[in-house]
Amino acid sequence: MARFRIGAVALWLAGFAGALALGGLAFIYSGLYPVGADVPHTALTTWALDTLREHSVARASADVDVPSDLDSSRRLLSGGPDYHEMCSGCHLKPGKSKSDFTLGLYPSPPDLTRPPGEGVDRVDLDRRRFWIIKHGIKASGMPAWGPGHNDERIWNMVSFLGRLPEMSPEQYQVLTARGDGEAGHH
Amino acid sequence: MQRLLLASLAAIPALLLAATVSAHDPSEHASGSEAPDCEAMHGMDKTKMEADDPLLQALMQKCMQEAHGDAAGHDEPGEENDEQPHDAGHGEASTDEDKHKH
């Protein structure tokens, strides 16, 4: 009798899982889910994607070694022009609060001119930033810069990001301008 | 005709590859770049910054390079910085202050 019940429950569970899988597949093929960047995800999808991303980046960046000279003038000088040319369109610069990219991309790129939240571990943040710049994030608009830029150059950008929230528009302009003689500096 | 076709088949991927490489060259980024506006720095309140602050040092270095570049017909700036290889081991090239280390 008990054996019969276990078999029935297993059969019922298998049928339920199969129906769920078929329903999911039918939903994917139906085209009903709105993929336009101007329609936000549902709360559940947002939670799932955010949680997935945060935990994935934390795990992948946990073993990254942060250079001890990260906050050096040399790195700030090298990282500034790269940030300006590669990142500021999406992640903004002092004195600018929005751009076409921040308005149109979904999810909206983080404003890196704002200081990180209270209680954020700086070393952990540097590790995460390095990893994200190098590897990018799928389906977010964030490209992987690693294939065309070596680690040293990426760390210079991380260094610049560390001081960016403190910069005035004038300081930012000076540090990010390459000037005539700096073409091919790297 | 066949030779032309083969040459085209070889040339197109080579051109595409060359375009990909140059897209990551910083000199490509630098086209049309502007000069640092160091005049705007004169009004900056430096009393709020400490002399060994890397940010202040970077600003001063940049403006000194710019001034020397202007005076000497745009000498190559940042030569002393370039002495350190970009692939130097992390943690070995600490030339600046310790105050703001992480």
Side-chain angles (χ1 to χ4, degrees), chain A residues 74-75 78-79 152-160 186:
Chain A
R74 177 182 68 85
R75 288 193 183 277
S78 297
E152 190 70 4
R153 202 165 158 195
I154 294 172
W155 277 120
N156 292 341
M157 281 189 274
V158 174
S159 168
F160 186 81
H186 294 277

Side-chain angles (χ1 to χ4, degrees), chain B residues 24-45:
Chain B
H24 297 288
D25 185 342
S27 61
E28 288 291 310
H29 296 308
S31 60
S33 61
E34 55 185 12
D37 182 12
C38 293
E39 289 294 317
M41 298 305 300
H42 294 321
M44 189 180 86
D45 184 6

Side-chain angles (χ1 to χ4, degrees), chain A residues 155-176:
Chain A
W155 277 120
N156 292 341
M157 281 189 274
V158 174
S159 168
F160 186 81
L161 288 177
R163 304 302 302 270
L164 180 60
E166 307 164 40
M167 289 180 203
S168 68
E170 292 79 18
Q171 291 171 339
Y172 177 88
Q173 195 280 334
V174 169
L175 284 185
T176 58

Side-chain angles (χ1 to χ4, degrees), chain A residues 88-92 97-105 107-111:
Chain A
S88 65
C90 292
H91 298 292
L92 302 175
S97 61
K98 62 184 176 183
S99 71
D100 284 343
F101 291 110
T102 62
L103 293 172
L105 277 173
S108 186
D111 179 357

Side-chain angles (χ1 to χ4, degrees), chain A residues 35-165:
Chain A
V35 294
D38 52 353
V39 179
H41 285 305
T42 63
L44 179 66
T45 313
T46 302
W47 170 83
L49 291 175
D50 284 356
T51 307
L52 180 80
R53 184 190 65 232
E54 292 303 307
H55 284 264
S56 177
V57 172
R59 184 173 182 272
S61 64
D63 295 330
V64 171
D65 290 326
V66 180
S68 60
D69 67 335
L70 193 61
D71 195 14
S72 70
S73 58
R74 177 182 68 85
R75 288 193 183 277
L76 289 172
L77 284 167
S78 297
D82 274 351
Y83 174 82
H84 182 62
E85 289 149 8
M86 293 151 55
C87 317
S88 65
C90 292
H91 298 292
L92 302 175
K93 59 184 180 179
K96 195 164 184 181
S97 61
K98 62 184 176 183
S99 71
D100 284 343
F101 291 110
T102 62
L103 293 172
L105 277 173
Y106 185 83
S108 186
D111 179 357
L112 297 181
T113 66
R114 292 186 181 176
E118 295 262 333
V120 173
D121 183 80
R122 181 61 191 272
V123 176
D124 192 39
L125 182 65
D126 291 334
R127 285 190 181 119
R128 293 168 64 91
R129 283 175 166 172
F130 174 82
W131 192 92
I132 290 170
I133 295 170
K134 183 169 182 174
H135 298 282
I137 294 181
K138 286 185 175 82
S140 71
M142 178 67 196
W145 293 103
H149 302 78
N150 63 24
D151 285 3
E152 190 70 4
R153 202 165 158 195
I154 294 172
W155 277 120
N156 292 341
M157 281 189 274
V158 174
S159 168
F160 186 81
L161 288 177
R163 304 302 302 270
L164 180 60

